[in-house]
C-alpha cells in the first residue's frame, strides 16, 4: 500500500521562505527513519505556485494554461512524502510522526492512499500501463 503525505501550503511557503535549519534537521531525521524502516519511496518540497501552472480543461476537453500564482493557498501543496506501508494503520503511525511543517502556525498534512493497478479491473489499457517503465507500480 502506497501513501502520499502532502504538506499543505501556507503564505510563507507560497512566498518562497525557506524553512529554519531546525525544521530541516527534523525533516531529515524523520525521512532517515522512514528510509531505515524501508518505507520511504520519495520526498520533496515544491516551489511556490508562482513558479508553476495549471492546465484547465473545459467540458469539451479544450485545454487552457493558467500561470501561477494561485490565490487559494489552502488548496495548494508545498511538499510531499511517498511511503509504502503494510497497512493504513502503519501509514497513520508514520504520518503522526511527521514534524510540524510550519512551526508556530496552524498547518496540516493530508495523507492519501494511492491506487494500485490491482484496484482496476483487468483491461488492455491497464496491461499497457503496467508495462511502462517508471510508472511507480
Amino acid at each position: 500500500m502506497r501513501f502520499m503525505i502532502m504538506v499543505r501550503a501556507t503564505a510563507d511557503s507560497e512566498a518562497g521562505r525557506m524553512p529554519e535549519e531546525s525544521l530541516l534537521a527534523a525533516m531529515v531525521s524523520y525521512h532517515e527513519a522512514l528510509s531505515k524502516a524501508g518505507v520511504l519511496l520519495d520526498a520533496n518540497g515544491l516551489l511556490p505556485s508562482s513558479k508553476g501552472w495549471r492546465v484547465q480543461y473545459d467540458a469539451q476537453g479544450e485545454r487552457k494554461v493558467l500561470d501561477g500564482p494561485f490565490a487559494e493557498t489552502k488548496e495548494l501543496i508545498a511538499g510531499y512524502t511517498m511511503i509504502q506501508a503494510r497497512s493504513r494503520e502503519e501509514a497513520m503511525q508514520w504520518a503522526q510522526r511527521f514534524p510540524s511543517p510550519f512551526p508556530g502556525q496552524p498547518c496540516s498534512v493530508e495523507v492519501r492512499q494511492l491506487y494500485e493497478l490491482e484496484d482496476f479491473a483487468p483491461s488492455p489499457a491497464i496491461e499497457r500501463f503496467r508495462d511502462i517503465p517508471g510508472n511507480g507500480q
Side-chain angles (χ1 to χ4, degrees), residues 87-98:
S87 66
R88 181 180 191 276
E89 292 73 25
E90 180 186 9
M92 192 177 298
Q93 289 171 357
W94 281 112
Q96 289 176 335
R97 292 176 58 185
F98 200 95

Side-chain angles (χ1 to χ4, degrees), residues 13-118:
S13 66
E14 276 297 289
R17 291 189 188 91
M18 298 304 280
E20 298 286 329
E21 180 63 24
S22 58
L23 176 57
L24 290 174
M27 287 294 193
V28 169
S29 295
Y30 174 73
H31 287 88
E32 284 174 337
L34 289 171
S35 180
K36 287 178 186 171
V39 299
L40 180 65
L41 296 175
D42 190 21
N44 223 317
L46 301 173
L47 289 172
S49 68
S50 61
K51 306 284 187 191
W53 62 91
R54 290 180 177 164
V55 178
Q56 188 170 335
Y57 303 84
D58 66 18
Q60 290 74 40
E62 295 294 320
R63 295 169 180 88
K64 179 169 62 171
V65 174
L66 303 172
D67 288 323
F70 305 113
E72 290 295 323
T73 302
K74 66 183 179 187
E75 296 178 5
L76 299 174
I77 302 298
Y80 67 92
T81 298
M82 294 273 302
I83 63 173
Q84 184 158 6
R86 291 181 296 272
S87 66
R88 181 180 191 276
E89 292 73 25
E90 180 186 9
M92 192 177 298
Q93 289 171 357
W94 281 112
Q96 289 176 335
R97 292 176 58 185
F98 200 95
S100 175
F102 302 103
Q105 57 182 301
C107 57
S108 66
V109 297
E110 178 180 338
V111 182
R112 303 275 300 274
Q113 186 172 350
L114 278 68
Y115 279 110
E116 303 295 342
L117 290 180
E118 292 73 26

